[in-house]
């Protein structure tokens, strides 16, 4: 399966904002964007003012990188969102948020979406009583997502239980840290999604 294997911190610097790809490191003074808040590369400091197209492209790239999705799959999500009733940009964010790896991350069971993706692939996650090892699996309203009982004593989950409450859980999820269980109350609306992106710029880019 194709995936990005380069340095995560370079992605944050390229987008000139924290994408929170490295868990707690992103919240510390060691975060590279705190030290070098400009894009990587020889001309990183002196890039000219971006055009309208570049702003749209950067917003798409930023969103794609936040959720850890490659271009082809992201485009497919956009086309699905465009076919649905309602605002395309909001539909797109709802699709991204409903991915299983994102739900595991939002619940506080993993420090980053990348770590959550690995947990799913390794078979630690169960949905409605059945093991699901596909990170892009989409949860639905009233689904129950939980960490497999045999896996709950692993260090990442012991840490997750010990630090429960440190991270704000979105209102569309109900989390029981002791049992490592998540109830999907509903799929999120835009007001419940705190990802700092301007989804309308993505719609404008793909509409050209």
């Amino acid at each position: 399966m194709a995936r990005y294997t380069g340095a995560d911190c370079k992605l944050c610097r390229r987008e000139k904002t924290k994408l929170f790809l490295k868990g707690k490191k992103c919240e510390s003074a060691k975060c590279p964007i705190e030290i070098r808040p400009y894009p990587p590369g020889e001309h990183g400091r002196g890039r000219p003012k971006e055009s309208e197209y570049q702003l749209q492209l950067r917003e798409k790239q930023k969103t794609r990188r936040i959720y850890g999705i490659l271009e082809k799959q992201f485009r497919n999500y956009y086309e699905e969102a465009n076919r649905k009733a309602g605002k395309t940009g909001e539909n797109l964010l709802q699709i991204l948020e409903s991915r299983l790896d994102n739900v595991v991350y939002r619940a506080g069971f993993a420090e980053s979406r990348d770590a959550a993706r690995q947990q799913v692939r390794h078979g630690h996650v169960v949905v409605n009583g059945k093991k699901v090892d596909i990170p892009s699996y989409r949860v639905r309203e009233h689904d129950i997502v939980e960490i497999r009982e045999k896996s709950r004593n692993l260090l990442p989950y012991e840490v997750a239980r010990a630090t429960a409450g440190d991270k704000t859980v979105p209102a569309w999820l109900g989390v029981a840290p002791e049992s490592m269980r998540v109830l999907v109350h509903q799929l999120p609306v835009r007001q419940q999604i705190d990802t700092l992106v301007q989804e309308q710029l993505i719609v404008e880019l793909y509409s050209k």
Side-chain angles (χ1 to χ4, degrees):
M1 181 181 293
R3 63 188 181 93
Y4 174 77
T5 57
D8 289 332
C9 294
K10 281 189 176 181
L11 299 182
C12 296
R13 289 180 58 208
R14 180 63 191 92
E15 305 306 334
K16 294 183 283 189
T17 187
K18 291 187 180 185
L19 305 181
F20 296 97
L21 305 177
K22 299 290 285 184
K24 291 184 178 179
K25 181 179 178 181
C26 300
E27 300 170 2
S28 73
K30 293 182 179 179
C31 178
I33 202 169
E34 298 282 359
I35 304 167
R36 292 169 290 177
Y38 49 84
E42 183 181 353
H43 305 291
R45 292 174 183 261
R47 292 178 188 265
K49 184 177 179 181
E50 295 180 328
S51 66
E52 180 182 354
Y53 170 77
Q54 287 173 319
L55 290 172
Q56 294 166 351
L57 179 62
R58 291 265 57 86
E59 202 66 19
K60 185 264 292 183
Q61 295 290 72
K62 179 174 76 173
T63 306
R64 191 172 65 75
R65 287 163 173 171
I66 286 172
Y67 289 96
I69 298 169
L70 296 180
E71 177 61 37
K72 183 177 180 180
Q73 188 174 26
F74 191 84
R75 181 63 187 246
N76 289 340
Y77 284 155
Y78 171 81
E79 291 176 356
E80 179 185 343
N82 195 35
R83 291 193 297 268
K84 290 185 173 184
K87 295 182 178 179
T88 300
E90 294 182 8
N91 291 341
L92 176 62
L93 288 181
Q94 185 182 81
I95 289 170
L96 295 171
E97 285 287 313
S98 66
R99 284 174 53 102
L100 182 57
D101 54 0
N102 181 73
V103 170
V104 171
Y105 166 71
R106 291 290 193 187
F109 297 164
E111 289 191 351
S112 66
R113 288 182 177 87
D114 191 46
R117 192 170 302 117
Q118 188 176 49
Q119 290 178 16
V120 175
R121 285 199 183 115
H122 288 183
H124 298 307
V125 180
V126 175
V127 180
N128 299 329
K130 296 182 179 180
K131 184 180 78 171
V132 178
D133 58 6
I134 302 171
S136 61
Y137 176 90
R138 305 252 287 280
V139 301
R140 293 175 290 183
E141 190 173 340
H142 305 312
D143 275 354
I144 296 175
V145 179
E146 54 190 327
I147 302 303
R148 199 173 59 162
E149 188 172 357
K150 290 181 179 179
S151 303
R152 292 175 191 171
N153 291 328
L154 296 175
L155 181 59
Y157 304 122
E158 290 184 349
V159 172
R161 284 193 293 271
T163 58
D166 291 355
K167 182 178 178 181
T168 302
V169 177
W172 58 283
L173 297 176
V175 179
E178 289 305 313
S179 58
M180 302 301 288
R181 180 176 295 180
V182 187
L183 170 63
V184 181
H185 294 307
Q186 63 180 66
L187 294 183
V189 296
R190 183 63 180 97
Q191 292 79 6
Q192 295 173 313
I193 302 172
D194 63 1
T195 307
L196 297 177
V197 298
Q198 299 179 62
E199 63 273 15
Q200 185 56 34
L201 292 178
I202 302 171
V203 175
E204 292 170 3
L205 175 69
Y206 281 133
S207 298
K208 291 182 176 180

